Each structure stands twice: as C-alpha cells, then as structure tokens.
Short mmCIF file of all heavy atoms in Angstrom, two decimals:
data_model
loop_
_atom_site.label_atom_id
_atom_site.label_comp_id
_atom_site.label_asym_id
_atom_site.label_seq_id
_atom_site.Cartn_x
_atom_site.Cartn_y
_atom_site.Cartn_z
N ILE A 1365 7.35 1.68 1.63
CA ILE A 1365 6.26 1.05 0.89
C ILE A 1365 5.46 0.25 1.89
O ILE A 1365 6.01 -0.60 2.59
CB ILE A 1365 6.79 0.12 -0.22
CG1 ILE A 1365 7.54 0.90 -1.28
CG2 ILE A 1365 5.65 -0.67 -0.84
CD1 ILE A 1365 8.13 0.05 -2.38
N GLY A 1366 4.18 0.52 1.97
CA GLY A 1366 3.35 -0.15 2.96
C GLY A 1366 2.68 -1.40 2.43
O GLY A 1366 1.50 -1.63 2.69
N SER A 1367 3.41 -2.21 1.70
CA SER A 1367 2.83 -3.43 1.13
C SER A 1367 2.28 -4.32 2.24
O SER A 1367 2.91 -4.51 3.27
CB SER A 1367 3.87 -4.21 0.34
OG SER A 1367 4.34 -3.45 -0.74
N HIS A 1368 1.10 -4.84 2.01
CA HIS A 1368 0.48 -5.76 2.95
C HIS A 1368 0.88 -7.18 2.56
O HIS A 1368 0.85 -7.54 1.39
CB HIS A 1368 -1.04 -5.60 2.93
CG HIS A 1368 -1.72 -6.26 4.07
ND1 HIS A 1368 -1.98 -7.60 4.08
CD2 HIS A 1368 -2.17 -5.76 5.25
CE1 HIS A 1368 -2.58 -7.91 5.21
NE2 HIS A 1368 -2.71 -6.82 5.94
N PRO A 1369 1.26 -8.01 3.54
CA PRO A 1369 1.74 -9.36 3.20
C PRO A 1369 0.69 -10.25 2.54
O PRO A 1369 1.04 -11.22 1.88
CB PRO A 1369 2.17 -9.94 4.55
CG PRO A 1369 1.54 -9.08 5.58
CD PRO A 1369 1.32 -7.74 4.96
N GLU A 1370 -0.59 -9.90 2.68
CA GLU A 1370 -1.63 -10.72 2.06
C GLU A 1370 -1.94 -10.32 0.62
O GLU A 1370 -2.68 -11.01 -0.06
CB GLU A 1370 -2.91 -10.66 2.90
CG GLU A 1370 -2.75 -11.33 4.25
CD GLU A 1370 -4.02 -11.23 5.08
OE1 GLU A 1370 -5.07 -10.85 4.55
OE2 GLU A 1370 -3.93 -11.52 6.29
N ASP A 1371 -1.39 -9.19 0.16
CA ASP A 1371 -1.60 -8.80 -1.24
C ASP A 1371 -0.66 -9.60 -2.13
O ASP A 1371 0.50 -9.82 -1.81
CB ASP A 1371 -1.33 -7.30 -1.43
CG ASP A 1371 -2.55 -6.45 -1.17
OD1 ASP A 1371 -3.67 -6.99 -1.18
OD2 ASP A 1371 -2.38 -5.24 -0.96
N ASP A 1372 -1.18 -10.01 -3.26
CA ASP A 1372 -0.40 -10.79 -4.22
C ASP A 1372 0.52 -9.85 -5.00
O ASP A 1372 0.05 -8.98 -5.73
CB ASP A 1372 -1.34 -11.51 -5.19
CG ASP A 1372 -0.63 -12.43 -6.15
OD1 ASP A 1372 0.62 -12.38 -6.24
OD2 ASP A 1372 -1.32 -13.20 -6.83
N PRO A 1373 1.85 -9.99 -4.85
CA PRO A 1373 2.77 -9.08 -5.55
C PRO A 1373 2.66 -9.18 -7.07
O PRO A 1373 3.02 -8.26 -7.79
CB PRO A 1373 4.16 -9.51 -5.07
CG PRO A 1373 3.98 -10.86 -4.50
CD PRO A 1373 2.55 -10.98 -4.06
N MET A 1374 2.13 -10.28 -7.58
CA MET A 1374 1.98 -10.43 -9.02
C MET A 1374 0.81 -9.58 -9.55
O MET A 1374 0.68 -9.38 -10.74
CB MET A 1374 1.75 -11.90 -9.39
CG MET A 1374 2.91 -12.80 -9.02
SD MET A 1374 4.50 -12.23 -9.70
CE MET A 1374 4.24 -12.51 -11.42
N LEU A 1375 -0.04 -9.08 -8.66
CA LEU A 1375 -1.17 -8.24 -9.07
C LEU A 1375 -0.87 -6.76 -8.90
O LEU A 1375 -1.70 -5.92 -9.18
CB LEU A 1375 -2.42 -8.61 -8.27
CG LEU A 1375 -2.91 -10.04 -8.45
CD1 LEU A 1375 -4.12 -10.30 -7.55
CD2 LEU A 1375 -3.25 -10.33 -9.89
N THR A 1376 0.32 -6.44 -8.42
CA THR A 1376 0.73 -5.05 -8.24
C THR A 1376 1.68 -4.67 -9.35
O THR A 1376 2.69 -5.33 -9.58
CB THR A 1376 1.43 -4.88 -6.87
OG1 THR A 1376 0.50 -5.23 -5.85
CG2 THR A 1376 1.88 -3.45 -6.66
N PHE A 1377 1.36 -3.61 -10.05
CA PHE A 1377 2.19 -3.18 -11.17
C PHE A 1377 2.67 -1.76 -10.90
O PHE A 1377 2.12 -0.80 -11.44
CB PHE A 1377 1.39 -3.24 -12.47
CG PHE A 1377 0.84 -4.61 -12.76
CD1 PHE A 1377 -0.49 -4.91 -12.52
CD2 PHE A 1377 1.66 -5.59 -13.27
CE1 PHE A 1377 -0.99 -6.17 -12.78
CE2 PHE A 1377 1.17 -6.87 -13.54
CZ PHE A 1377 -0.16 -7.15 -13.30
N ASN A 1378 3.67 -1.64 -10.05
CA ASN A 1378 4.21 -0.32 -9.74
C ASN A 1378 4.93 0.25 -10.94
O ASN A 1378 5.82 -0.38 -11.50
CB ASN A 1378 5.17 -0.39 -8.55
CG ASN A 1378 4.46 -0.79 -7.28
OD1 ASN A 1378 3.33 -0.41 -7.07
ND2 ASN A 1378 5.12 -1.57 -6.45
N HIS A 1379 4.55 1.45 -11.33
CA HIS A 1379 5.18 2.18 -12.42
C HIS A 1379 5.10 1.44 -13.75
O HIS A 1379 5.95 1.62 -14.60
CB HIS A 1379 6.63 2.53 -12.08
CG HIS A 1379 6.78 3.19 -10.76
ND1 HIS A 1379 6.16 4.36 -10.44
CD2 HIS A 1379 7.45 2.81 -9.65
CE1 HIS A 1379 6.46 4.70 -9.20
NE2 HIS A 1379 7.23 3.77 -8.69
N GLY A 1380 4.11 0.63 -13.93
CA GLY A 1380 3.92 -0.07 -15.19
C GLY A 1380 2.80 0.57 -15.99
O GLY A 1380 2.21 1.57 -15.61
N THR A 1381 2.51 -0.04 -17.15
CA THR A 1381 1.45 0.47 -18.01
C THR A 1381 0.12 0.49 -17.27
O THR A 1381 -0.63 1.45 -17.34
CB THR A 1381 1.33 -0.39 -19.27
OG1 THR A 1381 2.60 -0.42 -19.91
CG2 THR A 1381 0.30 0.16 -20.22
N ASN A 1382 -0.17 -0.56 -16.55
CA ASN A 1382 -1.40 -0.65 -15.76
C ASN A 1382 -1.06 -0.51 -14.29
O ASN A 1382 -1.32 -1.40 -13.49
CB ASN A 1382 -2.10 -2.00 -16.01
CG ASN A 1382 -2.55 -2.15 -17.42
OD1 ASN A 1382 -3.01 -1.19 -18.03
ND2 ASN A 1382 -2.40 -3.33 -17.99
N GLU A 1383 -0.47 0.62 -13.93
CA GLU A 1383 0.01 0.82 -12.55
C GLU A 1383 -1.13 0.62 -11.56
O GLU A 1383 -2.22 1.15 -11.71
CB GLU A 1383 0.59 2.22 -12.39
CG GLU A 1383 1.23 2.44 -11.06
CD GLU A 1383 2.08 3.69 -11.02
OE1 GLU A 1383 2.01 4.51 -11.93
OE2 GLU A 1383 2.82 3.82 -10.05
N SER A 1384 -0.87 -0.19 -10.54
CA SER A 1384 -1.88 -0.47 -9.52
C SER A 1384 -1.21 -0.92 -8.24
O SER A 1384 -0.01 -1.20 -8.21
CB SER A 1384 -2.83 -1.56 -10.01
OG SER A 1384 -2.14 -2.78 -10.16
N VAL A 1385 -2.01 -0.96 -7.19
CA VAL A 1385 -1.54 -1.46 -5.90
C VAL A 1385 -2.73 -2.17 -5.26
O VAL A 1385 -3.88 -1.80 -5.50
CB VAL A 1385 -1.01 -0.31 -5.01
CG1 VAL A 1385 -2.10 0.67 -4.66
CG2 VAL A 1385 -0.34 -0.84 -3.77
N GLY A 1386 -2.44 -3.19 -4.47
CA GLY A 1386 -3.52 -3.93 -3.82
C GLY A 1386 -4.26 -3.07 -2.81
O GLY A 1386 -3.69 -2.17 -2.19
N ILE A 1387 -5.55 -3.35 -2.62
CA ILE A 1387 -6.38 -2.58 -1.69
C ILE A 1387 -5.83 -2.68 -0.27
O ILE A 1387 -5.76 -1.67 0.45
CB ILE A 1387 -7.84 -3.08 -1.72
CG1 ILE A 1387 -8.46 -2.84 -3.09
CG2 ILE A 1387 -8.67 -2.44 -0.62
CD1 ILE A 1387 -8.58 -1.39 -3.48
N LYS A 1388 -5.43 -3.86 0.17
CA LYS A 1388 -4.89 -4.01 1.53
C LYS A 1388 -3.61 -3.20 1.70
O LYS A 1388 -3.38 -2.61 2.76
CB LYS A 1388 -4.65 -5.48 1.85
CG LYS A 1388 -5.94 -6.26 2.02
CD LYS A 1388 -5.67 -7.71 2.34
CE LYS A 1388 -6.98 -8.47 2.47
NZ LYS A 1388 -6.78 -9.88 2.74
N SER A 1389 -2.78 -3.17 0.67
CA SER A 1389 -1.55 -2.37 0.74
C SER A 1389 -1.87 -0.88 0.78
O SER A 1389 -1.23 -0.12 1.52
CB SER A 1389 -0.64 -2.68 -0.45
OG SER A 1389 -0.14 -3.99 -0.37
N LEU A 1390 -2.86 -0.45 0.01
CA LEU A 1390 -3.27 0.96 0.01
C LEU A 1390 -3.78 1.36 1.40
O LEU A 1390 -3.38 2.39 1.94
CB LEU A 1390 -4.35 1.20 -1.04
CG LEU A 1390 -4.94 2.60 -1.06
CD1 LEU A 1390 -3.88 3.63 -1.42
CD2 LEU A 1390 -6.10 2.66 -2.03
N LEU A 1391 -4.63 0.54 1.97
CA LEU A 1391 -5.17 0.83 3.30
C LEU A 1391 -4.07 0.81 4.36
O LEU A 1391 -4.02 1.69 5.24
CB LEU A 1391 -6.27 -0.16 3.66
CG LEU A 1391 -7.54 -0.06 2.82
CD1 LEU A 1391 -8.50 -1.19 3.15
CD2 LEU A 1391 -8.21 1.29 2.99
N ASN A 1392 -3.17 -0.17 4.29
CA ASN A 1392 -2.07 -0.26 5.25
C ASN A 1392 -1.17 0.97 5.15
O ASN A 1392 -0.81 1.57 6.16
CB ASN A 1392 -1.27 -1.54 5.00
CG ASN A 1392 -0.26 -1.80 6.07
OD1 ASN A 1392 -0.59 -1.94 7.24
ND2 ASN A 1392 1.00 -1.88 5.68
N SER A 1393 -0.81 1.35 3.94
CA SER A 1393 0.06 2.52 3.75
C SER A 1393 -0.60 3.78 4.28
O SER A 1393 0.05 4.61 4.93
CB SER A 1393 0.36 2.71 2.26
OG SER A 1393 1.07 1.63 1.75
N THR A 1394 -1.90 3.95 4.01
CA THR A 1394 -2.63 5.12 4.47
C THR A 1394 -2.65 5.20 5.99
O THR A 1394 -2.40 6.26 6.57
CB THR A 1394 -4.06 5.12 3.90
OG1 THR A 1394 -3.98 5.07 2.48
CG2 THR A 1394 -4.82 6.35 4.33
N LYS A 1395 -2.92 4.09 6.63
CA LYS A 1395 -2.96 4.06 8.10
C LYS A 1395 -1.59 4.43 8.69
O LYS A 1395 -1.50 5.20 9.64
CB LYS A 1395 -3.36 2.68 8.59
CG LYS A 1395 -4.82 2.37 8.36
CD LYS A 1395 -5.13 0.94 8.78
CE LYS A 1395 -6.56 0.56 8.44
NZ LYS A 1395 -6.85 -0.84 8.78
N VAL A 1396 -0.53 3.87 8.12
CA VAL A 1396 0.81 4.15 8.64
C VAL A 1396 1.17 5.62 8.43
O VAL A 1396 1.70 6.28 9.33
CB VAL A 1396 1.86 3.22 7.98
CG1 VAL A 1396 3.26 3.67 8.32
CG2 VAL A 1396 1.63 1.78 8.42
N MET A 1397 0.89 6.16 7.26
CA MET A 1397 1.23 7.56 6.99
C MET A 1397 0.42 8.52 7.86
O MET A 1397 0.96 9.51 8.35
CB MET A 1397 1.01 7.89 5.50
CG MET A 1397 1.97 7.19 4.59
SD MET A 1397 3.67 7.68 4.95
CE MET A 1397 4.54 6.66 3.79
N LEU A 1398 -0.86 8.22 8.08
CA LEU A 1398 -1.67 9.07 8.97
C LEU A 1398 -1.16 9.00 10.41
O LEU A 1398 -1.09 10.03 11.10
CB LEU A 1398 -3.13 8.67 8.91
CG LEU A 1398 -3.87 9.06 7.64
CD1 LEU A 1398 -5.26 8.44 7.61
CD2 LEU A 1398 -3.95 10.57 7.50
N ALA A 1399 -0.81 7.82 10.87
CA ALA A 1399 -0.28 7.68 12.23
C ALA A 1399 1.04 8.42 12.37
O ALA A 1399 1.29 9.08 13.39
CB ALA A 1399 -0.11 6.20 12.58
N LEU A 1400 1.89 8.35 11.36
CA LEU A 1400 3.17 9.05 11.39
C LEU A 1400 2.96 10.56 11.41
O LEU A 1400 3.57 11.27 12.22
CB LEU A 1400 4.01 8.65 10.18
CG LEU A 1400 5.35 9.33 10.03
CD1 LEU A 1400 6.25 9.01 11.22
CD2 LEU A 1400 6.02 8.89 8.73
N ALA A 1401 2.07 11.06 10.58
CA ALA A 1401 1.78 12.50 10.56
C ALA A 1401 1.22 12.95 11.92
O ALA A 1401 1.63 14.00 12.44
CB ALA A 1401 0.80 12.82 9.44
N TYR A 1402 0.33 12.18 12.50
CA TYR A 1402 -0.24 12.51 13.80
C TYR A 1402 0.86 12.57 14.87
O TYR A 1402 0.90 13.51 15.67
CB TYR A 1402 -1.31 11.47 14.18
CG TYR A 1402 -1.92 11.74 15.52
CD1 TYR A 1402 -2.91 12.70 15.67
CD2 TYR A 1402 -1.50 11.05 16.65
CE1 TYR A 1402 -3.47 12.95 16.91
CE2 TYR A 1402 -2.05 11.29 17.89
CZ TYR A 1402 -3.04 12.25 18.02
OH TYR A 1402 -3.58 12.51 19.24
N GLU A 1403 1.74 11.59 14.87
CA GLU A 1403 2.83 11.57 15.84
C GLU A 1403 3.76 12.76 15.69
O GLU A 1403 4.26 13.32 16.67
CB GLU A 1403 3.63 10.27 15.73
CG GLU A 1403 2.91 9.06 16.27
CD GLU A 1403 2.69 9.14 17.78
OE1 GLU A 1403 3.59 9.58 18.50
OE2 GLU A 1403 1.58 8.78 18.21
N MET A 1404 4.01 13.16 14.45
CA MET A 1404 4.92 14.27 14.20
C MET A 1404 4.30 15.62 14.58
O MET A 1404 5.01 16.56 14.91
CB MET A 1404 5.37 14.28 12.74
CG MET A 1404 6.24 13.09 12.38
SD MET A 1404 6.68 13.06 10.66
CE MET A 1404 7.91 14.37 10.63
#
C-alpha cells in the first residue's frame, strides 16, 4: 500500500461504502509501481 504520510487516514475509506484514497497516496503508489515495473 503506497499510503503517503501526509494523507489523512480518516479521509481514506478502503473497501467501504464511499471507497476512496488520498490523492498523494494515489500518486505515490503509481510512481512506486511504475518504477518497479521499469526495474523488472
């Protein structure tokens, strides 16, 4: 999970009715996954 430390965990509702993730966490996760795919 690429959670960003600056995202408020109370605003993230993983697998809930209003499922969401913070923008910084989304961007961080995307960068890490792209870097990992590139390395592989």
Side-chain angles (χ1 to χ4, degrees):
I1365 295 178
S1367 298
H1368 193 279
E1370 293 179 12
D1371 273 342
D1372 185 349
M1374 298 306 291
L1375 299 177
T1376 300
F1377 303 102
N1378 295 324
H1379 309 301
T1381 304
N1382 296 321
E1383 186 167 12
S1384 65
V1385 64
I1387 296 296
K1388 289 180 181 178
S1389 292
L1390 175 64
L1391 293 173
N1392 188 60
S1393 297
T1394 302
K1395 288 176 185 177
V1396 170
M1397 292 298 178
L1398 287 172
L1400 178 62
Y1402 179 80
E1403 287 295 319
M1404 293 177 75

